[in-house]
Amino acid sequence: MELLNSIILTVQHYMADYVLIVALLGGGIWFSVRLKFVQIKGVFKGLKMMFSGLFGKKGEVDDDGMSSFQALATAIAAQVGTGNIAGAATAIAIGGPGAIFWMWVAALLGMATIFCEATMAQKYKTIGDDGVVTGGPVYYIRAAFKGKFGRGLAAAFAILLVVALGFTGNAVQANSIAVAWNSAFGLPQYVMGIFLAIMAFIVFTGGMSRIAKVTETVVPIMAAFYILGSLVVICANITHVPYAFYSIVVGAFAPQTIAGGAAGATLKLALTKGVARGLFSNEAGMGSTPHAHAVAKVNHPIEQGYVAMAGVFIDTFVILNMTALVIITSDAIPSGLTGAELTQFAFGTVFGKMGGIFIAVCMLFFAFSTIIGWYFFGMANIKYLFGSKAIKVYSVLVAICVLLGSLAQVDLIWNMADCFNSIMVLPNIIALFALSGIVLKEYDDYKEKYPTLNKK
């Protein structure tokens, strides 16, 4: 087991420090240039569509799919997870405040990437053997590459996603909740594990309809709750806010000049941790969220591309920034803590013992919603690999992983989740490069068909 863990850590090191930077930043730059930086104006169109869905009439879920907002809520449910609480804190603790700047860069470029993902997921969505609409990277990978290569690449992606998100990833999310509640309330981890497994299974067995209803209700509440709590801490340290932004920008290029920054932080650490943690925060380029965007009911594939960009904006430029500002303005970095403990410490500087309780509650919302989203993404790939009859078995296995994952942290499982998350980026990005011309045609077609909407 130690040998396997060592191999996985080595692979993840090279993926995070080299491959992901080239693939994600390179891909983001390529898509941004080809689409004339569609994210600059497009994100505001996506936000407008998002808010109209949030405050408008709720859509009905049937075999034809979800409403655009429900699809976005399902995507955000997966995006806004422990990465926003623990991942951002880890990046700051290791790479210094400057890591947040590189998260911004990765997110800005990632908006163009996720625009392509959502558009292609919409274009190549299909009807499963159960008569329900489905879609995701496996289908646009097959469209990009014909023959055995396409089938093999799609199958590899599907297997990686099911293992990385459905099984190991959800075990990690459950563990984060169980540990947080054990720390805050003294609740035995197995009790929380049983509760999570039962609740998750109830949602799973309701299919796409129940998943959509849960996410469209939970996501706005959890986001508002976390933002409100964060603003209280930030306002309590309002005089430190200018320095916080200064340390983020300057620390991105000269981490050693930031007083009270992370010990040993370098430009390489700030860059690599920012990009790597940015991936696990907003999931742009990973190939996960297209499964949700594929089932949205829209008039044109490009419309869901705009909406998808709003998801990255909310995740990184709103939720993740809240965590970063709380940590930096509260001067929590020198504490030597990392992960969720660092975030918990930062909130504790204002809330006292209630800081731990606040994070525990947020962790429950964030991680449980991610479990639901990741289950849904895995379900689409289980259908692709084995057909709809295998979904019942899959739902039971995921519930078991949630239960077992909550009992104790197993380093091998955590490292496998990180490693497979990284590897699944490759087939997805390769296919998007091959389909970038199709994305451009769809974009031109949208502008031609909806010239008035495109000018707004």
Side-chain angles (χ1 to χ4, degrees), residues 368-424:
F368 185 72
S369 68
T370 298
I371 289 172
I372 295 172
W374 283 359
Y375 165 83
F376 181 76
F377 302 160
M379 182 178 71
N381 289 277
I382 287 291
K383 286 175 66 174
Y384 174 78
L385 291 170
F386 306 110
S388 59
K389 292 182 179 179
I391 292 176
K392 291 183 179 179
V393 176
Y394 170 68
S395 63
V396 172
L397 291 176
V398 174
I400 292 173
C401 287
V402 168
L403 173 60
L404 296 178
S406 67
L407 300 180
Q409 177 177 328
V410 180
D411 289 341
L412 177 61
I413 299 299
W414 283 64
N415 295 332
M416 284 176 62
D418 277 355
C419 186
F420 291 159
N421 273 336
S422 299
I423 296 174
M424 61 186 265

Side-chain angles (χ1 to χ4, degrees), residues 62-66 71 74 116-143 154 157-158 161-162 165 208 287-297 304 373-385 391 428:
D62 51 34
D63 290 351
D64 291 333
M66 307 177 183
T74 303
C116 296
E117 288 180 295
T119 299
M120 290 297 92
Q122 270 287 317
K123 181 174 177 61
Y124 294 108
K125 63 183 177 182
T126 186
I127 303 297
D129 59 0
D130 55 355
V132 178
V133 66
T134 187
V138 288
Y139 298 100
Y140 60 69
I141 289 173
R142 291 285 300 272
F157 175 87
L161 186 140
V162 170
L165 303 187
M208 184 166 63
S288 53
T289 58
H291 299 92
H293 295 301
V295 301
K297 302 175 188 177
Q304 199 60 24
W374 283 359
Y375 165 83
F376 181 76
F377 302 160
M379 182 178 71
N381 289 277
I382 287 291
K383 286 175 66 174
Y384 174 78
L385 291 170
I391 292 176
N428 182 57

Side-chain angles (χ1 to χ4, degrees), residues 194-249:
I194 293 172
F195 171 76
L196 290 174
I198 293 173
M199 293 302 296
F201 189 71
I202 290 173
V203 177
F204 297 164
T205 54
M208 184 166 63
S209 175
R210 189 171 297 165
I211 289 171
K213 289 177 181 178
V214 170
T215 55
E216 75 172 344
T217 302
V218 171
V219 167
I221 293 174
M222 74 178 191
F225 183 71
Y226 188 71
I227 291 171
L228 181 61
S230 299
L231 287 175
V232 171
V233 178
I234 295 168
C235 289
N237 300 299
I238 194 70
T239 57
H240 297 167
V241 170
Y243 176 76
F245 283 102
Y246 169 84
S247 64
I248 289 172
V249 176

Side-chain angles (χ1 to χ4, degrees), residues 15 37 57 68 78 80 178 189 261 366 418 426:
M15 289 296 301
F37 290 90
K57 182 180 179 180
S68 181
V80 179
Q189 291 182 214
F366 283 22
D418 277 355
L426 298 181

Side-chain angles (χ1 to χ4, degrees), residues 248-280:
I248 289 172
V249 176
V250 175
F253 304 96
Q256 66 280 1
T257 65
I258 301 300
T266 64
L267 174 57
K268 180 183 177 183
L269 278 175
L271 175 60
T272 56
K273 293 303 175 183
V275 173
R277 290 294 109 187
L279 165 66
F280 298 124

Side-chain angles (χ1 to χ4, degrees), residues 338-356:
T338 187
E341 291 181 343
L342 175 57
T343 307
Q344 189 174 16
F345 176 85
F347 275 95
T349 60
V350 173
F351 292 137
K353 292 183 178 179
M354 286 297 296

